Every structure is written in C-alpha cells, then in structure tokens.
Amino acid sequence: MSIRVIVADDQEIARTGLRMILDAQPGIEVVGEAADGRRAVELARRLRPDVCLFDIRMPRLDGIEATRSLAGPAVEDPLAVVVITTFDLDEYVYAALRAGARGFLLKDAGPDLLSQAIRAAADGDALIAPSITARLLEAFAHAGPASRPAPLIEALTGREEEILITVARGRTNSEIADELHITLSTVKSHIASLMTKLGVRNRVEIAMWAYETNRVRK
C-alpha cells in the first residue's frame, strides 16, 4: 500500500516540485494539493491521507493553525503532519511542535530527507531536520514550556531513560536500535511505553518532555 500524501503550499511551483519529488519515491503517492490552509484542512478531513505536508506561510489559514486543526491536543483522531518551510526560525519550530507536527523540514532538505520524513510520519515516527533538532528542542526548553510537564504516570525503567535521551537527541528508531544493540521491534515497544507513561502522543512530544524536565544537557 502506498503512503497517501496531500501537499499544501501557496506557491504552485513549490507544490509541483514537491509532488514530483514524492511521486518519484517508491511507495509514496500524492493524492491532493491545496493552495491555502483552509482548503488543506478541508481536503485532509475528506481524504484522510496518511501524511499531510504543509508549508507554514499560507493564506486564509497558516500551516501552524492547519496543523493544530488536524493534529492538535484537542483532536481525537489526529492526522500525521510534516511542516516544511524556507525559514529556519525558532518560533516556527516551537509552534509547529506544539501544534502536533510529527516533522519539521527546511525546503532545501532534499528528496532523501523529505521522503524519510514522510515515511517516518506515516509509521508514527517523527523526523526533524538534523541541522535543527537538538539546537531547537533545547532552545525550546530553555525558553520555557507553555505549561508544566505532566507528572509521570509510572516510573521509567533504566532502558526507557536511555531511549528517552536518544529520542531527544533526534535519533531515528533504526539509529537507536544500532546504538543500544537492541532490535527495532524492541525500540518501538519502549517508545510506545514511554508515550503511555509520559501521557504524550508521539516522539516529538517525548523529546520535548525530556528537555522540559532537564533530562538532556549540553
């Protein structure tokens, strides 16, 4: 089964380029396009794609608000959203992550990283451009969270603490498996347990929790 993607960007040339890149990847299919955020939300709710790829700066409804509408804390059945932008600005990343985005990329990321982000989001994973992962998550934490981190539902095991740190440092599941010498299925099991114990919905929120609680230091 192909990963079904919708692309939203107010620039037609950008949408066309993204569609060409994604359609050229095996197992990925662009099933819809939108030129503004409101249309993107309507399209996503109707088509229920596996992944939404949203630009940040769009008319009628920007990418952050569109993400919040489809993946925010109040959404019962959230969609996977990857945010892509030309602008490497901290406030955009903070807002995208808070809104529920599973990925954040710059438009110069290239086809390989773009397809990796789409596949990761479709798999319930997350990918943030390596050039900004640790710097921005740490800056996010130091800027002060919007609210105090929720208390643990259950204490973390030693292995879960290890995996928490690797997630916060931007490692993918495969990289974690290699680094800790465990299987990929074991990594996924531990991450599922972390989400339950932390009361979060994805690995991006796991990473934010780690920084907010000072689990990760320079």
Side-chain angles (χ1 to χ4, degrees), residues 133-211:
T133 300
R135 174 179 65 82
L136 289 175
L137 281 172
E138 188 163 2
F140 166 85
H142 290 168
S147 58
R148 293 182 61 81
L152 281 170
I153 294 172
E154 184 182 342
L156 302 183
T157 66
R159 179 61 88 184
E160 287 169 349
E161 289 279 3
E162 285 183 301
I163 289 178
L164 175 73
I165 300 306
T166 60
V167 170
R169 288 176 175 155
R171 304 290 195 273
T172 65
N173 284 357
S174 295
E175 290 170 340
I176 294 171
D178 290 342
E179 187 173 324
L180 299 182
H181 308 291
I182 56 180
T183 67
L184 192 59
S185 61
T186 299
V187 174
K188 291 181 178 179
S189 177
H190 282 308
I191 287 178
S193 179
L194 279 170
M195 287 191 285
T196 298
K197 290 183 178 182
L198 303 183
V200 302
R201 299 182 304 169
N202 56 57
R203 70 193 295 116
V204 173
E205 292 180 3
I206 290 175
M208 289 193 293
W209 188 92
Y211 278 100

Side-chain angles (χ1 to χ4, degrees), residues 123-135:
D123 195 35
D125 205 337
L127 188 150
I128 303 173
S131 62
I132 59 179
T133 300
R135 174 179 65 82

Side-chain angles (χ1 to χ4, degrees), residues 3 11 15-16 23 30 40 71 87 91 149 152 197 205:
I3 298 170
Q11 296 184 349
R15 292 198 310 276
T16 300
D23 280 342
V30 176
F87 306 97
E91 58 266 30
L152 281 170
K197 290 183 178 182
E205 292 180 3

